[in-house]
Amino acid sequence: MTGVVIVGAGVMGRAIAKTFGASGIQTVLVSRSPDRIDEIPGVRVSGDFPADAPDMVIEAVPETLELKRKVFLNAEASWPEAAPVLASNTSGLDLTEIAAPLSRPDRFLGLHYFHPADRLPLAELIRIPETSPETLEEARELLGRSGRDCVVMASPLPGGLVNRLQHAILHEAYDLMSRGLATPEDIDKAARWLLGPRMCVAGLLRQKDLGGLRGHILAQRTIVPDLCHDARPNADVQAMLERDELGVASGQGFYTWHEDDARSAPAEAADRLQALLSFMESQ
């Protein structure tokens, strides 16, 4: 076949498959329980790899090193001559460790989607030292055919580009909450109505150019030394895991989620996001 194989039929794997299937790209979604997967337009669900090699294999299985390695070793064994692009959607595992046992690490890279993957128009490509330029371009071309643009990280730093930016902001937000200086509601209000709109219009760095760099650079001299520089994850947030406070899934997180809200909120948020993206694309 020419197309893609996605391994792992969880929320992310199904959404990734939807992006390729909707674009007319031959797509196979491999699941341990194919009979339990609802139909996805343009996607064939299977319990096994197809006989013919795809252009790319995307791994979206749980965050376990050995499980991810097994997917790629099986792919190399299934199509030894074809050498498809091998892409991991891991959020936090070391990409070089995932690729360590592969015979063709030059065909490997990170391909990180963000939730909801079937709505957002951007994904992230992350190179390891062995990733060849040809592999990067093939992955970029396939993403383009599926209607996705990409950003590229030249080295596999933990978290890649987007999660590093996101966690830097969240680390400071959690510290402000722990110190009783700002509520979750006020932090979200600032993000939605101040940070978010400006970033939608001009990005992060271009916005600083537009506003003038003199004041920004001088402000860094007093603000940056006072930011939270603790290298450990926030203890109050880590304790939420022990209390099973997992957000919508458990009914309690930074907010309390009643049953009706928990069912409707994710879909409503995705619809609002789609409306915002449609507006941005029209400008």
Side-chain angles (χ1 to χ4, degrees):
M1 65 176 286
T2 56
V4 297
V5 169
I6 295 100
V7 184
V11 172
M12 189 61 73
R14 295 196 305 273
I16 294 170
K18 189 183 295 185
T19 68
F20 288 98
S23 302
I25 297 170
Q26 191 171 354
T27 306
V28 175
L29 177 62
V30 177
S31 169
R32 290 179 298 180
S33 304
D35 295 339
R36 298 183 180 180
I37 307 302
D38 293 336
E39 183 177 352
I40 303 172
V43 177
R44 179 166 67 87
V45 181
S46 174
D48 302 296
F49 283 150
D52 296 330
D55 297 308
M56 180 161 65
V57 177
I58 302 172
E59 166 272 308
V61 300
E63 291 286 280
T64 303
L65 178 62
E66 290 307 317
L67 184 58
K68 292 178 184 293
R69 282 178 169 176
K70 183 178 179 180
V71 169
F72 294 122
L73 289 171
N74 286 345
E76 285 192 328
S78 297
W79 309 294
E81 302 300 323
V85 174
L86 305 177
S88 175
N89 187 56
T90 182
S91 297
L93 292 178
D94 188 333
L95 289 168
T96 59
E97 286 294 310
I98 296 174
L102 299 181
S103 60
R104 292 289 305 272
D106 60 301
R107 299 296 289 164
F108 178 86
L109 43 63
L111 170 50
H112 190 212
Y113 285 81
F114 302 89
H115 182 72
D118 56 330
R119 305 290 186 105
L120 291 169
L122 193 69
E124 183 176 49
L125 292 172
I126 306 171
R127 301 181 68 171
I128 64 171
E130 297 86 354
T131 304
S132 71
E134 294 77 16
T135 296
L136 182 66
E137 288 309 309
E138 287 176 45
R140 194 197 300 266
E141 190 269 337
L142 277 166
L143 281 175
R145 286 171 54 197
S146 72
R148 266 54 188 174
D149 198 358
C150 64
V151 294
V152 177
M153 273 286 279
S155 182
L157 295 179
L161 171 60
V162 178
N163 270 336
R164 289 179 77 89
L165 295 176
Q166 179 175 238
H167 278 270
I169 294 173
L170 287 169
H171 192 54
E172 181 64 28
Y174 296 155
D175 183 64
L176 294 174
M177 284 192 297
S178 291
R179 293 162 62 191
L181 300 176
T183 65
E185 291 82 3
D186 280 346
I187 289 170
D188 281 346
K189 188 183 295 183
R192 289 187 66 206
W193 294 102
L194 295 175
L195 296 179
R198 297 198 305 176
M199 290 184 187
C200 283
V201 170
L204 183 62
L205 302 182
R206 191 168 184 264
Q207 170 61 37
K208 296 308 163 191
D209 270 3
L210 294 176
L213 286 176
R214 179 180 296 278
H216 168 68
I217 291 170
L218 292 175
Q220 279 217 310
R221 298 178 184 179
T222 54
I223 295 173
V224 170
D226 197 56
L227 293 174
C228 177
H229 294 287
D230 191 341
R232 295 169 296 179
N234 182 275
D236 289 337
V237 175
Q238 293 297 304
M240 294 172 70
L241 182 62
E242 301 302 320
R243 296 193 299 268
D244 198 39
E245 295 177 1
L246 305 177
V248 169
S250 66
Q252 183 64 49
F254 297 112
Y255 297 84
T256 298
W257 297 92
H258 299 292
E259 188 173 343
D260 290 343
D261 293 334
R263 282 197 299 264
S264 61
E268 290 174 358
D271 288 343
R272 290 196 297 270
L273 176 62
Q274 185 61 63
L276 175 61
L277 292 170
S278 297
F279 174 77
M280 290 174 62
E281 291 171 355
S282 71
Q283 300 305 301

